[in-house]
Amino acid sequence: KAAAQGNSRAVPLPRPLLGTAEPHFSFAGLKSAVMRAVQSGQYSQPDIAASFQQAVIDCLATLQAAPVPAWAVAYQSDAMTEALDPAWSHAARTGAPTAECADLFRALLAGHEDEAVLLHRDFHAENLVWLPERDGVRRVGLLDFQDAVVGHPAYDLASYLQDARRDVSAETEAWMIDRFCAVTGRDAERFAAAYALQSLQRNVRILGLFARLAERGKTGYLAHVPRVRRYVERSLGHPAAAPLAGPLRACLLTPVPA
């Protein structure tokens, strides 16, 4: 919320990856730079928040502009639909129209396969780590990049803005999406439609994974389920996801059982 009131260029935060075509997964001291900006007292909280969000957008946009490595596999409609299996087997009602939901997901996601970029696939704040014993850009690393794939550019942005561990308002989310489209030159309306479907798939899959973990005794993840369900409903509110609204609500358990 604060970011929407701030100047996104007020704080000179570092931008890793800029000026290079290499897809290195690192953030050049971004979190520490934010900490120093706060401690300095020179900048308002809205300006710091806006500058941080802009830096994230710049980094993500630059990463996605890098050449796609030969080893990266596709994460598009077929693979994304298969990835929903845990939701149908662990977080769906008995007898629910799961096959219909899967078919709808596949068809809707296939309508947005006109571009594919390198994705981290787990792009959120907890995967940034400060490594002071290292030098230069290697001081901050982005963890868990072993699941990197090729997919729609909206996926990683959705990972950041619909993180299961933190609340992000719809207003902040819309503000960030608009800025991302401005930086990358994408059509905002078409990107928003793809974003709704990518975020919806991601969160439905997460509901299944959390339910499966709970069945195995790791019930702590259930604390995040209400937030993830709110994100599901937010995505279902977009016209691009409207065909899924009825069938998906008929499928998903509320709450996910421990």
Side-chain angles (χ1 to χ4, degrees), residues 62-88:
T62 306
L63 172 63
Q64 293 185 353
V68 175
W71 49 259
V73 299
Y75 190 60
Q76 295 182 307
S77 57
D78 287 339
M80 293 181 77
T81 302
E82 291 177 11
L84 290 171
D85 286 349
W88 312 141

Side-chain angles (χ1 to χ4, degrees), residues 17 25 40 51 57 75 79 85-86 88 110-111 118-119 127 132 166 174 196-198 200 203 223 232:
L17 296 173
F25 295 95
S40 72
S51 296
I57 290 172
Y75 190 60
D85 286 349
W88 312 141
L118 181 64
L119 300 180
N127 277 335
R166 64 190 183 107
L197 295 171
Q198 296 284 319
L200 184 60
N203 285 315
V232 166

Side-chain angles (χ1 to χ4, degrees), residues 190-210:
R190 180 161 178 77
F191 184 84
Y195 178 95
L197 295 171
Q198 296 284 319
S199 59
L200 184 60
Q201 184 274 349
R202 181 177 182 275
N203 285 315
V204 171
R205 176 175 177 268
I206 287 173
L207 289 174
L209 296 178
F210 284 179

